[in-house]
Amino acid sequence: HGIRREYTTPYTPEQNGIAERMNQKIQECVLLMVQHSRLWDGFWAEALLTTVKIINMSPSRPLGLEIPHEL
């Protein structure tokens, strides 16, 4: 399936920039979703699940505009 495992040194997030950037993107989207909806912070888990679902259902440029969920 083209999946390749790459190991990094523990506790060195700078070695895994792509994953760290995605984590940052997810965190920003969750924060904006909760703030924009004016809901209390107790809805962060639902906002997280929704954010990840949106990302997985959206076309991805590195995947040739394919949808990750379909792949």
Side-chain angles (χ1 to χ4, degrees):
H1 295 295
I3 298 171
R4 191 178 67 199
R5 181 177 286 191
E6 294 182 19
Y7 295 97
T8 60
T9 307
Y11 309 107
T12 53
E14 58 274 1
Q15 289 184 350
N16 199 357
I18 295 171
E20 291 298 322
R21 179 64 186 120
M22 181 58 75
N23 289 340
Q24 182 181 1
K25 176 181 176 180
I26 292 171
Q27 184 178 8
E28 290 170 356
C29 290
V30 168
L31 181 62
L32 289 171
M33 192 178 296
V34 171
Q35 287 178 346
H36 184 71
S37 64
R38 295 190 179 134
L39 294 172
W40 55 285
D41 292 339
F43 284 95
W44 69 268
E46 286 78 10
L48 174 65
L49 292 173
T50 302
T51 299
V52 172
K53 180 102 174 175
I54 290 169
I55 290 170
N56 287 335
M57 298 299 258
S58 300
S60 175
R61 185 169 282 146
L63 298 175
L65 297 179
E66 294 287 332
I67 297 173
H69 178 74
E70 293 177 354
L71 294 176

